[in-house]
């Protein structure tokens, strides 16, 4: 532990799910909005929606990594929104 905190949790999808459930916001849904590049070297763009409202966008070499990026962006927005209220 450093400063009473757990190691940095890189599972943004899990954290987003916990956050949205704790706030009763509904389950995040991930949609692949784009696939670019040849079959062997694709780049995926994924959007995360909460209550059908877009909260984050991510890109990656796999759908999973793109989903993590989208969840990371959504968490950042949600946590900033929390701080702003």
């Amino acid at each position: 532990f450093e400063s009473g905190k757990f190691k940095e949790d890189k599972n943004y999808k899990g954290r987003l799910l916990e956050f949205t459930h704790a706030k009763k916001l509904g389950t995040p849904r991930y949609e692949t909005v784009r696939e670019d590049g040849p079959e062997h070297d694709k780049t995926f763009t994924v959007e995360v929606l909460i209550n059908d409202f877009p909260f984050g966008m991510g890109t990656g070499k796999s759908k999973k990594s793109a989903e993590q990026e989208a969840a990371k962006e959504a968490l950042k927005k949600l946590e900033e929104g929390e701080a702003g209220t």
Side-chain angles (χ1 to χ4, degrees):
F1 302 110
E2 62 261 14
S3 69
K5 206 175 155 196
F6 295 106
K7 69 175 174 53
E8 184 67 31
D9 186 359
K10 297 288 188 215
N11 182 7
Y12 297 108
K13 285 177 70 176
R15 284 173 51 195
L16 182 60
L17 187 62
E18 286 173 14
F19 186 95
T20 55
H21 279 209
K23 302 288 178 191
K24 308 229 182 317
L25 296 173
T27 303
R29 189 165 49 89
Y30 296 88
E31 282 190 3
T32 303
V33 290
R34 264 179 53 201
E35 291 182 25
D36 295 309
E39 199 60 49
H40 66 279
D41 188 26
K42 279 197 185 297
T43 300
F44 296 92
T45 303
V46 171
E47 186 172 54
V48 60
L49 301 127
I50 301 166
N51 290 333
D52 294 324
F53 188 80
F55 264 87
M57 189 83 81
T59 53
K61 284 294 179 187
S62 68
K63 285 183 184 178
K64 191 173 174 127
S65 66
E67 288 171 356
Q68 287 289 351
E69 285 300 310
K72 181 178 180 179
E73 188 177 293
L75 266 172
K76 194 173 161 192
K77 281 184 188 170
L78 288 164
E79 286 167 351
E80 283 171 2
E82 286 275 293
T85 50

